[in-house]
């Protein structure tokens, strides 16, 4: 390089600093998501056309389910498998905690399953809705079924969003965005197509997952005050 000519190479990004903010500033999308979830739940209780739409979508999927496509959709659905996602997310957080000598990565990874489980299980037990091939499509059916909202779809948003946040310093912008948004969409498609959930179950799960992950990503995990014993970064 000629003397006096400035270098065009960017300095390396410090560890723990993402390329972009994981969540945009402002709360409008959070408000819209919450309002949509409340409206959807109310509609399923009092507006029969939504229930008829669920039945139409289920019947169409039942009549258009060739083997190879079903196999692909099965993999899509399992992208939202809670047990596996919890193990992967917590495992990544412990690796980062060991690497950077701080428990900060473990806190959001540990909170994600707790918050998600409390909200999803609470809504499922309150609404008591059946599945597409057993139980009632109506809310409050008083059966053992608890399918609204879809936990798989919510998981596909929450866990991958937390993973994208944890791994942000190691990922490109495109890779982080794909990790954050694509699995939830694929899980939505897979679980609905296979008839594991009604269409509106999946919509509700997506809206709830979006709310949870945005709230988790808003917390300033990198600057949250912690005792020196738990945060020994140099």
């Amino acid at each position: 390089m000629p003397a006096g000519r400035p270098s065009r190479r960017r300095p390396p990004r410090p560890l723990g600093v993402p390329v972009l903010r994981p969540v945009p500033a402002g709360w409008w999308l959070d408000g819209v998501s919450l309002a949509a979830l409340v409206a959807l739940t109310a509609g399923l209780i009092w507006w029969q056309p939504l229930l008829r739409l669920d039945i139409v979508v289920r019947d169409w999927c039942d009549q258009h389910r060739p083997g190879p496509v079903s196999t692909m959709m099965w993999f899509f659905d399992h992208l939202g498998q809670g047990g596996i996602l919890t193990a992967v997310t917590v495992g990544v957080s412990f690796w980062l905690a060991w690497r950077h000598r701080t428990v900060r990565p473990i806190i959001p990874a540990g909170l994600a399953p707790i918050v998600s489980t409390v909200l999803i299980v609470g809504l499922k037990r309150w609404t008591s809705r059946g599945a597409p091939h057993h139980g009632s499509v109506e809310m409050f059916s008083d059966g053992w079924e608890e399918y609204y909202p879809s936990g798989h779809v919510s998981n596909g948003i929450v866990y991958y969003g937390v993973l994208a946040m944890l791994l942000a310093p190691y990922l490109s912008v495109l890779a982080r965005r794909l990790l954050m948004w694509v699995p939830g969409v694929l899980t939505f498609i897979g679980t609905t197509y296979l008839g594991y959930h009604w269409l509106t179950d999946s919509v509700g799960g997506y809206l709830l997952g979006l709310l949870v992950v945005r709230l988790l990503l808003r917390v300033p995990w990198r600057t949250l005050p912690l005792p020196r014993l738990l945060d020994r970064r140099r």
Side-chain angles (χ1 to χ4, degrees), residues 8-178:
R8 295 189 176 211
R9 294 182 60 188
R10 294 181 180 179
R13 189 168 62 254
L15 287 176
V17 180
V19 183
L20 298 175
R21 292 173 58 89
V23 175
W27 293 77
W28 69 269
L29 182 55
D30 306 70
V32 170
S33 301
L34 178 59
L37 180 61
V38 172
L40 175 66
T41 306
L44 288 170
I45 298 172
W46 291 300
W47 199 47
Q48 290 295 315
L50 271 181
L51 304 183
R52 291 196 289 271
L53 173 63
D54 276 332
I55 294 172
V56 168
V57 172
R58 178 203 62 185
D59 292 347
W60 185 91
C61 291
D62 286 348
Q63 297 166 13
H64 300 81
R65 198 176 286 141
V69 177
S70 295
T71 301
M72 180 176 65
M73 293 299 169
W74 183 88
F75 283 105
F76 285 178
D77 171 72
H78 276 64
L79 289 173
Q81 194 73 30
I84 297 174
L85 285 176
T86 300
V88 171
T89 306
V90 172
V92 169
S93 73
F94 270 87
W95 174 74
L96 291 171
W98 170 79
R99 181 179 178 86
H100 298 292
R101 300 167 59 85
T102 177
V103 300
R104 292 180 187 277
I106 298 175
I107 302 175
L111 278 176
I114 296 173
V115 175
S116 292
T117 300
V118 168
L119 292 177
I120 291 172
V121 171
L123 271 174
K124 282 178 179 288
R125 290 185 176 177
W126 175 59
T127 55
S128 185
R129 190 189 197 193
H133 295 103
H134 55 83
S136 174
V137 69
E138 296 184 354
M139 303 287 232
F140 312 121
S141 55
D142 295 326
W144 60 268
E145 301 90 352
E146 298 171 350
Y147 279 83
Y148 175 84
S150 168
H152 269 55
V153 176
S154 181
N155 291 340
I157 298 291
V158 174
Y159 288 95
Y160 290 101
V162 172
L163 280 172
M165 177 187 68
L166 294 176
L167 297 173
Y170 306 96
L171 300 175
S172 67
V173 177
L174 177 60
R176 182 175 60 78
R177 287 176 175 171
L178 291 175

Side-chain angles (χ1 to χ4, degrees), residues 186-200:
L186 296 181
T187 306
F188 183 112
I189 295 171
T191 196
T192 305
Y193 180 83
L194 293 174
Y196 295 159
H197 278 282
W198 301 105
L199 172 65
T200 51

